[in-house]
Amino acid sequence: MSNNKSAHQHLQQSVSSDFYMVENTLIIGLGMIGGSLAKSLKENGFSRKVVAFDSSVEALEIGVKLKVIDSGCTDIGKAVRQASLIILAVPVKATGSVLAMIKPHLQDECIISDVGSTKGSVIEAAKRVFGTVPANFVPAHPIAGSEKSGVEAANSQLFAKHKVIITPHAQASEKAALTIARMWQSTGAEVLQMQVEKHDEVLAATSHLPHLLAFSLVDSLAKESESLDIFRYAAGGFRDFTRIAASDPTMWSDVCGANKSAILAQIDIFSQGLASLKQAIVDEDEQSIKGIFIRARAAREHFGKMLTGTAYAADSEDKDVTFVLQPGAHLRGEITVPGDKSISHRAIIMAALGEGVSYLDGFLHSEDSMATVQAFRDMGVVIEGPHKGAVKIYGVGLQGLCPPPGVLYLGNSGTSMRLLCGLLAAQKFDCVISGDESLNSRPMERVAAPLRTMGANIQTSATGSAPIYIKGGQKIQAIEYQMPMASAQVKSSILLAALYAEQTSTIEQPAATRDHTEVLMRGRGLALQVTGNKVSITPGNVIPGFNLNIPGDISSAAFYIVGAVISKGSEIILKDVGVNPTRLGFIHILRLMGADIALLNQRENSGEAIADIKVCYSPLQGINISDEYVSIAIDEFPVLFVAASCASGETQITGLGELRHKESDRISAMVDGLRELGINIEEQTEGVVIQGGQIQGGKVDSRGDHRIAMAFSIAALVSSTEISISNCAQVATSFPEFVEKSARAGIRIRKEEANVST
Ligand code: S3P
C-alpha cells in the first residue's frame, strides 16, 4: 500500500495541475488481470473513473459489487467515445477483433494499451486494423499473474514490486508512452522498456517455455496407467514445478500461436539440453550429470544478476556495510584464519587444467575465490563445493575449457582477472572479462602487453583496464620477459600462457614476489626452474589431478598479528597459517620494530611452509623500512601503517608505488583515514612518513577496500574513542567471517548493514 502511495505522490508532483492523471479509463475484458489493474487504478486515484466492458454481464456486475470498477458498460461505442485511456485485457488472439470493434469510436487523444504476454502479434493486429500502428498505441506486458482467473480474483496489489515491460514502437507518441509508464508505476510496478522482438524472445524463454513444460509434464503423467498413484504421492517438487499447469488453457494456447517462432526456438534449446542429460544418464556419466546440476544451481542462486547479464554475483555489491568499533580491547586465545586467497585461486586454476579429479581442503570461501570458481564453471568445468572448505574439481585438461556463455564477471578480484588473462589468451575461443567498478579501473596492460608479445590478441579499454576482449585461436609463443614491476599476478599470468607455448619461457622479476604458482606447478610435475628472481617454464607436461590442503592466509592473520602486538595484554596463537617466505615481509618489519612474534610447529605441506604463530603485546619503535621488503609485504602495508602509528618515533616507508593500484589507492586511503584519527602522517608519491602517537576515535572511509576496512578495525583496539568505518562490504572478498572471528578474539566490533538504494 505504501508503495502505491509513494508512486502516486510522485505522480502528483509531476502533474500538479490535476489530481488525476487520466479522466476515464476503459478496461476491455474484466478477468483477473483486467480486474486487478482496474481495482488498482481506482484505489490509487490514477484515473477519475474506471469503467469496464466485457462480454459477460455477470462479470461486470461482480466487478461493481467488489468495487473493482466504478461501472460496467454494454454500449461499447459510447464507452470508447468517453474514454481517455483504453486497456485491452483480453486474450492476445482477440486483440485484432477488439481493435476493429473500438476503431470507429476512438477519439484522437485516446491512449490505448494492452496487457498481453506476447507483443509481436499485438503489433501485427494493430497494423491489420489501422494500416499502421497508431501513435497513441503503446503495448505493455505486466510480468505478474496468478493461476487464478476471473474478476473475483482481482487483486489491486498484484503488480506491486513486479516488472512491467512496455514496448513503444518507433512512431509512438511520447505522451502516450509516458502515460502508460506512469499508469503502471501507480500500481507499484517497476517499468522497463524493450523492443518488441526482444520482449518476445525473452518471454519465450522465461515464461512461455516453463508454462508449456508444466502443462506437458502433467499431461504426460496423467496419461500413465498408474497416474492416480503418481498424483496421490506427488511431493513438493511436483507441486512446485506444476503449479502453473493450472493456468488458463485458452490464454496459453493463444500464446503458442502468437509467439510461435520464439517458443519453438526455446523448445529446441530445451530439447537439446534434456537429450544431453538423458545421454549422460544412459552413459552413467556422473561428471556430466553433476555438471549440469551444479551449473543450474549456481545459475539459479545468482538468477537475479544473471538476468542483468552478469554470470557471477557478489553479495557485497548490494550492501552498504559499516563497522563500528569500541576502543579498549585486547586479543587473547587461539584464532584460525580462512584459507589462503592466492593459493585458493591457483589451486582451482591448476585443478581445472588437470587431467583427473582434484580435491582441495581449506579452500577460502570468499567472493574473490568464488569469482574464479564461477569463471571455470562458466567454461564447463564441474566443481563441487565448497563445503566447509572442501572442493572437488573435475579437471578438463589444458585443452578442455569451453567457451563461456557470456562475459566472465570477476567482481572485485584482481588475481582472477590477471591470471585468467594469461590462460584465456591461449584458448581457442573468444571471451570478454570484466569486473566491478574498482576492478575495471585497475591497470591491466601490465598483463596484456607481455601476452601480446607472446602472440595473444587482447584488447583493454582506452585507459588500459577491463573490460578485456580476448580473441582466441592465436598461436602462443614463448617469451623472455623482464618484468618492469614486481608482481606475482603478472608473473603467474605469463606462466599460465607459457603452458601453451612450444618453447621455454623465462620471466625475470625486479624483486621476489609470492611464489605460489611456482610451488603448485612444480609440485604437479611441470618443468619449472627457479634461479634467484628468474623463473623458467618448459611446456609439454600433463597436469595430473591432485589433493591439496590450503593453509590459513597470512594476509588475513596479519590483522590479528598487528592487533596483538599493539594492544596491551594481548597474547594469541594463530593456527595453521601459511608462512611461505615470499609472504613474510611484514613479520620481518614488525620484528625490526620490536614485535614479539614466534613461528611454532613449523612444517611443510605440498611445498608450502606452515606454522602456528604466537604473538604477544610488545612496544614498537619507529624505523626506516627498506624497499627490499615491499614486494613480499605488499598486502600488509595498510595494517603496518597502523602499527607504525602506535610505535614511538618516526617510521619512513618508501617504494610503495604499487599500493596506489590495489583495490583502492591504499596510500591515500590510509593517509586520509589515519589523519582523521589524529595521526601525523606525511603522504609522498611512493611512500609515507608516520609519527607514532595516540590514535583517536572518528569516522573513516575504507573506500570499498577490504584491507583498509580491516586495518582500521585493528586501529580501534588502541583508539581513544569509537571508530566507525564506512564502505566495508568488500571485506567479504577475502575474509567473510572477519566480524564474527574478531568479536570472538576480543575486538569490540559491530556490523551495521543497509541495502544499497539504486
Ligand atoms: C596476489 C599478488 C599481489 C597481491 C594480491 C594477490 C596474487 O598483487 O597484492 O592481493 O595472488 O598473486 P601483485 O602481484 O600484483 O602485487
Side-chain angles (χ1 to χ4, degrees):
M1 199 65 202
S2 64
N3 201 0
N4 277 351
K5 218 176 181 173
S6 67
H8 185 57
Q9 274 159 0
H10 167 73
L11 209 67
Q12 280 186 55
Q13 280 160 15
S14 47
V15 287
S16 53
S17 57
D18 188 359
F19 179 83
Y20 297 104
M21 187 75 184
V22 300
E23 269 304 306
N24 194 339
T25 302
L26 169 62
I27 308 275
I28 301 183
L30 197 60
M32 196 273 295
I33 295 279
S36 297
L37 177 60
K39 195 161 191 237
S40 184
L41 298 184
K42 209 166 110 63
E43 284 178 8
N44 72 34
F46 179 88
S47 179
R48 188 189 293 273
K49 209 168 163 217
V50 181
V51 180
F53 175 83
D54 196 285
S55 54
S56 154
V57 178
E58 196 194 347
L60 297 175
E61 283 168 7
I62 297 173
V64 174
K65 199 164 139 219
L66 296 178
K67 296 195 169 50
V68 168
I69 49 172
D70 291 312
S71 59
C73 67
T74 42
D75 178 352
I76 186 69
K78 187 172 161 213
V80 171
R81 282 192 297 279
Q82 287 176 351
S84 31
L85 172 63
I86 298 178
I87 307 291
L88 274 52
V90 294
V92 277
K93 209 174 165 185
T95 307
S97 53
V98 173
L99 287 175
M101 175 176 78
I102 66 174
K103 184 181 167 195
H105 314 286
L106 273 174
Q107 303 298 296
D108 286 350
E109 292 294 299
C110 181
I111 294 168
I112 313 165
S113 185
D114 77 321
V115 297
S117 55
T118 62
K119 298 277 70 107
S121 66
V122 165
I123 288 283
E124 284 310 312
K127 277 190 197 153
R128 274 198 310 276
V129 173
F130 295 98
T132 168
V133 191
N136 276 355
F137 183 38
V138 179
H141 174 203
I143 314 220
S146 152
E147 63 283 6
K148 296 183 192 139
S149 48
V151 64
E152 298 85 346
N155 166 13
S156 61
Q157 296 305 305
L158 184 70
F159 310 107
K161 298 201 175 103
H162 283 73
K163 291 189 169 54
V164 173
I165 302 174
I166 63 168
T167 58
H169 52 100
Q171 285 77 41
S173 104
E174 221 170 90
K175 183 176 169 226
L178 197 67
T179 305
I180 298 305
R182 293 267 165 81
M183 176 192 82
W184 284 112
Q185 280 166 353
S186 79
T187 68
E190 183 196 340
V191 177
L192 309 170
Q193 198 168 313
M194 233 182 234
Q195 299 278 338
V196 169
E197 299 73 27
K198 180 82 186 161
H199 168 277
D200 285 359
E201 227 175 271
V202 168
L203 267 291
T206 56
S207 166
H208 306 168
L209 181 68
H211 276 86
L212 304 191
L213 294 182
F215 282 125
S216 172
L217 175 70
V218 178
D219 182 47
S220 315
L221 293 187
K223 280 185 203 143
E224 289 192 16
S225 54
E226 338 63 84
S227 63
L228 242 181
D229 271 352
I230 291 176
F231 289 108
R232 185 173 301 135
Y233 300 121
F238 177 83
R239 256 180 239 125
D240 287 349
F241 189 83
T242 58
R243 179 182 57 80
I244 49 180
S247 303
D248 181 354
T250 311
M251 178 195 145
W252 282 99
S253 96
D254 281 5
V255 168
C256 290
N259 200 20
K260 181 176 168 186
S261 57
I263 290 177
L264 288 177
Q266 287 306 324
I267 291 181
D268 282 347
I269 294 172
F270 174 77
S271 306
Q272 281 161 20
L274 192 61
S276 318
L277 178 57
K278 181 180 173 190
Q279 193 56 50
I281 297 171
V282 170
D283 299 343
E284 296 176 16
D285 177 357
E286 192 190 333
Q287 178 173 344
S288 298
I289 298 172
K290 272 195 188 152
I292 294 166
F293 296 168
I294 290 169
R295 276 197 303 279
R297 189 170 70 171
R300 183 67 183 78
E301 274 165 18
H302 299 301
F303 204 58
K305 296 272 172 164
M306 285 196 63
L307 284 176
T308 60
T310 51
Y312 165 72
D315 288 347
S316 66
E317 286 172 13
D318 301 331
K319 298 216 181 92
D320 202 346
V321 175
T322 300
F323 289 173
V324 181
L325 291 114
Q326 301 307 322
H330 60 265
L331 303 178
R332 290 200 80 82
E334 244 180 50
I335 308 176
T336 53
V337 287
D340 189 283
K341 183 150 79 82
S342 293
I343 303 177
S344 294
H345 285 298
R346 287 158 171 83
I348 293 289
I349 297 174
M350 292 301 287
L353 300 180
E355 310 238 320
V357 179
S358 293
Y359 296 86
L360 312 179
D361 243 323
F363 180 80
L364 169 68
H365 194 169
S366 77
E367 291 186 353
D368 273 13
S369 41
M370 288 310 290
T372 295
V373 167
Q374 186 61 36
F376 281 97
R377 283 183 174 149
D378 287 345
M379 291 189 283
V381 180
V382 177
I383 302 176
E384 286 179 42
H387 181 66
K388 294 189 174 152
V391 185
K392 183 176 179 186
I393 303 117
Y394 297 78
V396 294
L398 281 163
Q399 308 296 343
L401 295 175
C402 302
V407 174
L408 288 175
Y409 179 73
L410 301 170
N412 196 245
S413 179
T415 307
S416 311
M417 185 169 278
R418 296 209 175 103
L419 269 56
L420 284 182
C421 270
L423 180 64
L424 293 168
Q427 302 305 311
K428 290 190 195 79
F429 49 84
D430 301 348
C431 65
V432 183
I433 45 186
S434 187
D436 67 9
E437 208 182 319
S438 149
L439 182 55
N440 282 0
S441 64
R442 294 178 65 185
M444 291 297 149
E445 271 301 308
R446 52 180 59 198
V447 288
L451 291 171
R452 269 185 219 114
T453 310
M454 298 177 83
N457 184 336
I458 176 166
Q459 203 186 319
T460 59
S461 72
T463 51
S465 40
I468 301 174
Y469 295 83
I470 301 177
K471 189 140 193 53
Q474 314 299 317
K475 187 165 167 44
I476 295 298
Q477 285 135 23
I479 190 172
E480 295 266 327
Y481 191 59
Q482 189 86 41
M483 280 169 42
M485 79 286 291
S487 164
Q489 295 179 346
V490 176
K491 174 180 60 178
S492 305
S493 185
I494 300 173
L495 284 173
L496 286 165
L499 293 177
Y500 293 83
E502 278 170 9
Q503 311 290 326
T504 302
S505 293
T506 304
I507 307 153
E508 185 165 3
Q509 358 174 37
T513 60
R514 65 191 66 189
D515 66 357
H516 306 298
T517 307
E518 295 91 308
V519 170
L520 209 48
M521 283 186 167
R522 214 175 13 213
R524 312 286 75 77
L526 297 185
L528 189 122
Q529 294 277 323
V530 180
T531 338
N533 284 338
K534 250 190 193 176
V535 193
S536 298
I537 182 152
T538 307
N541 294 7
V542 160
I543 304 168
F546 58 91
N547 292 0
L548 186 72
N549 209 316
I550 299 171
D553 196 326
I554 184 126
S555 295
S556 297
F559 298 104
Y560 299 123
I561 294 176
V562 170
V565 167
I566 62 173
S567 54
K568 276 198 185 122
S570 291
E571 182 173 328
I572 55 167
I573 294 199
L574 289 143
K575 298 288 283 182
D576 306 321
V577 183
V579 290
N580 180 316
T582 59
R583 301 284 294 278
L584 293 189
F586 83 102
I587 291 196
H588 298 315
I589 294 170
L590 284 173
R591 280 179 174 157
L592 288 171
M593 295 173 83
D596 180 0
I597 303 171
L599 304 191
L600 311 175
N601 190 17
Q602 293 194 50
R603 58 227 189 250
E604 204 197 278
N605 194 334
S606 298
E608 290 284 357
I610 303 168
D612 302 332
I613 306 178
K614 183 171 177 209
V615 193
C616 298
Y617 164 74
S618 19
L620 297 178
Q621 192 64 46
I623 54 162
N624 278 0
I625 299 178
S626 88
D627 285 10
E628 74 180 290
Y629 294 126
V630 169
S631 62
I632 56 168
I634 190 72
D635 287 341
E636 287 66 67
F637 281 102
V639 78
L640 278 172
F641 284 16
V642 172
S645 303
C646 302
S648 55
E650 180 177 284
T651 297
Q652 286 196 30
I653 323 177
T654 53
L656 295 182
E658 274 297 304
L659 255 60
R660 296 206 184 268
H661 306 296
K662 295 294 174 188
E663 285 83 331
S664 69
D665 174 343
R666 285 184 176 161
I667 299 185
S668 148
M670 287 307 296
V671 166
D672 285 359
L674 285 171
R675 274 198 192 131
E676 193 60 40
L677 301 181
I679 293 299
N680 180 351
I681 176 165
E682 182 194 323
E683 177 172 1
Q684 299 169 339
T685 319
E686 300 215 328
V688 286
V689 181
I690 303 171
Q691 309 297 336
Q694 169 62 50
I695 293 179
Q696 308 295 330
K699 287 191 161 78
V700 294
D701 181 0
S702 83
R703 302 196 189 175
D705 183 329
H706 55 139
R707 299 207 194 276
I708 304 292
M710 292 188 275
F712 282 124
S713 305
I714 293 306
L717 279 165
V718 292
S719 63
S720 54
T721 54
E722 178 182 290
I723 295 182
S724 154
I725 311 163
S726 58
N727 263 319
C728 294
Q730 302 293 2
V731 166
T733 62
S734 68
F735 199 157
E737 291 177 0
F738 176 72
V739 170
E740 297 73 15
K741 275 216 186 265
S742 299
R744 249 177 273 136
I747 300 178
R748 298 165 66 200
I749 184 169
R750 182 175 90 238
K751 176 155 85 171
E752 291 178 355
E753 249 177 31
N755 285 331
V756 173
S757 53
T758 45

